[in-house]
Amino acid sequence: MLEILLPPPVVTAVAYTDREDEPCFAGEEDMIATAVAGRRREFVTTRRCAREALAGIGVPAVPIRSGPRREPLWPSDVVGSLTHCAGFRGAAVARSGDLAGVGVDAEPHAPLPPRVIGAVTAPGDVEHLAELSEKDPSVHWDRLLFSAKESVYKAWFPLTGRWLGFEEAALTVDPAGNAFTARLLVDAPFPALHGRYLIGNGLVVTAVTVAHP
């Protein structure tokens, strides 16, 4: 699904299952030394996807460490993003000369818990979700909003080094184009970020790319 959402400079790799007892890549073992079995499999598979995607842009396999906010630390000339949820692991990478940033996210296509809505919406979001639901109640628009903002953050943070709260990006969804725009409500080097989404196989998958100025 990721490859459909992203332009040609981006290379993706996905997996829908984990390999039992797949070993951890050298240089990453300490990151999951105390993890439970399920978390370990999730980590190993997602990192494998990352290296498969890196190979697609000619980058050799390397350990992919995590930064202070758990962001993946890519080779110096690479931008990329990772995602995982039940039944899906994925990675997207590009050369930094081709794109300034990329963010991807996958979520189960299911309603968000009601208590979460208030924490992930910006001014205008709740009304927009109501409009979308009235037009097409088959889509869990609240989950799409959550996933889109996750993709926005994953593209934003490597570019700025700054936290971006859910309430600091107001989302507008274009169902006809399977697209969305996040208007940033903070001081930013760009006023908005744009992305695309797909819904299928029980998943909501979103992706954001940031072009060079």
Side-chain angles (χ1 to χ4, degrees):
M1 298 174 77
L2 283 180
E3 71 276 7
I4 299 172
L5 296 176
L6 291 159
V10 183
V11 173
T12 66
V14 302
Y16 297 94
T17 59
D18 301 319
R19 299 173 186 169
E20 287 294 328
D21 301 321
E22 180 177 3
C24 188
F25 192 80
E28 296 174 350
E29 302 96 331
D30 63 299
M31 299 168 64
I32 50 171
T34 60
V36 299
R39 168 59 183 152
R40 181 181 180 86
R41 288 193 297 269
E42 171 188 273
F43 177 96
V44 169
T45 304
T46 305
R47 263 20 188 216
R48 167 164 44 86
C49 288
R51 278 179 279 275
E52 290 173 2
L54 287 171
I57 59 171
V59 177
V62 293
I64 301 166
R65 306 288 299 178
S66 294
R69 293 196 178 271
R70 298 177 60 191
E71 75 278 11
L73 300 177
W74 301 100
S76 59
D77 60 344
V78 172
V79 294
S81 182
L82 303 177
T83 187
H84 51 77
C85 70
F88 188 88
R89 287 74 166 99
V93 300
R95 290 284 185 179
S96 57
D98 294 326
L99 284 174
V102 59
V104 298
D105 186 70
E107 301 286 336
H109 186 221
L112 281 179
R115 60 182 174 77
V116 175
I117 294 294
V120 301
T121 50
D125 280 346
V126 172
E127 294 80 3
H128 186 47
L129 290 176
E131 293 170 1
L132 292 166
S133 295
E134 185 175 351
K135 292 177 181 177
D136 187 354
S138 69
V139 175
H140 297 297
W141 297 105
D142 53 352
R143 184 70 70 164
L144 172 59
L145 175 139
F146 179 87
S147 180
K149 291 191 179 188
E150 284 284 321
S151 285
V152 164
Y153 176 76
K154 291 177 184 180
W156 158 275
F157 184 76
L159 287 169
T160 65
R162 291 158 46 196
W163 176 258
L164 183 72
F166 284 102
E167 75 285 358
E168 295 176 321
L171 202 74
T172 302
V173 180
D174 171 21
N178 280 64
F180 59 87
T181 296
R183 180 171 55 88
L184 302 178
L185 307 179
V186 295
D187 182 35
F190 30 74
L193 289 174
H194 306 282
R196 300 182 65 223
Y197 71 89
L198 280 177
I199 298 172
N201 301 323
L203 298 168
V204 176
V205 182
T206 58
V208 168
T209 54
V210 185
H212 288 291

